[in-house]
Amino acid sequence: MMTIEIYIATLAAGLIAGAYMLGMLVLSAIYPEKRTWPPEHATKAIKFRVWLMTILIFAAAFVLGALDWNRFEWPAAIRWGIGVPLIVLGNIAVWNGVFKIGMDATSGEATGLKTDGLYRWSRNPQYVADITILLGWGVLTASLWALPVLAIGFAVLAVAPFAEEPWLEKVYGEDYRSYRLRVPRYI
């Protein structure tokens, strides 16, 4: 396959995955009684679909950035000095969050309200960390081709808390309302 064909296929996969996730989240935020995220029953099929779409967004951004490496011709000191630390810090934070709340909760199941660790400073440290990873990759690769997928990835991660918060309030009640008043949504 030629580079342009890989670009088009990868861009399409990333944008379709992002549009699917963004649509699901926006509808869940607008119509919490009909939400699809977090799911009413987190089946293996639902978890697989959500993880697949998330992985497609990240993978598409990775491939597009690699194919169009440093299109903007940014200095290496900026790309490596800012991009790599953002990727590393984002990964440390996201995996800390996954280990803190567990894969079940990360996949949309009610496993108890977590308010300690990184959750003391952000109600959504995993989303903030994922945005940080995407931002770091965008800086490191300085890629024009990756921008559309990075943008939809940012949008998905920024909208996700709006879909989750009504569910969290319903499940955890006053404990969540009190937590929400103390801790910011992002940072």
Side-chain angles (χ1 to χ4, degrees):
M1 229 191 252
M2 295 173 48
T3 302
I4 194 70
E5 292 167 330
I6 295 170
Y7 163 72
I8 291 169
T10 305
L11 179 66
L15 291 178
I16 289 167
Y20 172 83
M21 292 288 288
L22 193 57
M24 176 187 70
L25 293 166
V26 167
L27 288 173
S28 293
I30 294 171
Y31 303 107
E33 67 284 351
K34 296 179 182 180
R35 73 177 191 282
T36 56
W37 186 259
E40 188 67 38
H41 303 288
T43 65
K44 287 181 182 179
I46 292 170
K47 290 178 186 181
F48 175 78
R49 189 170 59 236
V50 169
W51 278 107
L52 176 63
M53 296 299 120
T54 302
I55 290 167
L56 279 172
I57 293 167
F58 275 80
F62 178 82
V63 170
L64 292 167
L67 288 173
D68 189 43
W69 190 261
N70 201 20
R71 165 73 61 99
F72 296 128
E73 299 181 1
W74 291 351
I78 290 174
R79 291 184 308 105
W80 292 92
I82 296 172
V84 170
L86 288 173
I87 293 167
V88 170
L89 289 172
N91 271 285
I92 290 169
V94 79
W95 290 107
N96 180 285
V98 168
F99 290 125
K100 178 67 182 166
I101 69 171
M103 280 304 292
D104 288 339
T106 298
S107 299
E109 292 184 30
T111 61
L113 183 62
K114 306 297 189 254
T115 61
D116 57 346
L118 294 176
Y119 291 87
R120 286 181 291 189
W121 298 290
S122 171
R123 296 194 313 262
N124 299 284
Q126 290 183 63
Y127 293 138
V128 171
D130 281 337
I131 289 170
T132 302
I133 294 167
L134 290 177
L135 179 61
W137 184 248
V139 171
L140 178 62
T141 64
S143 166
L144 176 65
W145 287 6
L147 283 179
V149 176
L150 291 170
I152 203 160
F154 294 157
V156 165
L157 294 163
V159 168
F162 294 94
E164 290 180 0
E165 287 175 350
W167 174 79
L168 289 165
E169 188 168 348
K170 179 181 173 186
V171 171
Y172 300 113
E174 187 54 42
D175 288 341
Y176 179 74
R177 285 188 288 279
S178 173
Y179 172 65
R180 186 181 64 211
L181 291 174
R182 293 189 322 269
V183 178
R185 178 176 288 131
Y186 302 110
I187 50 174

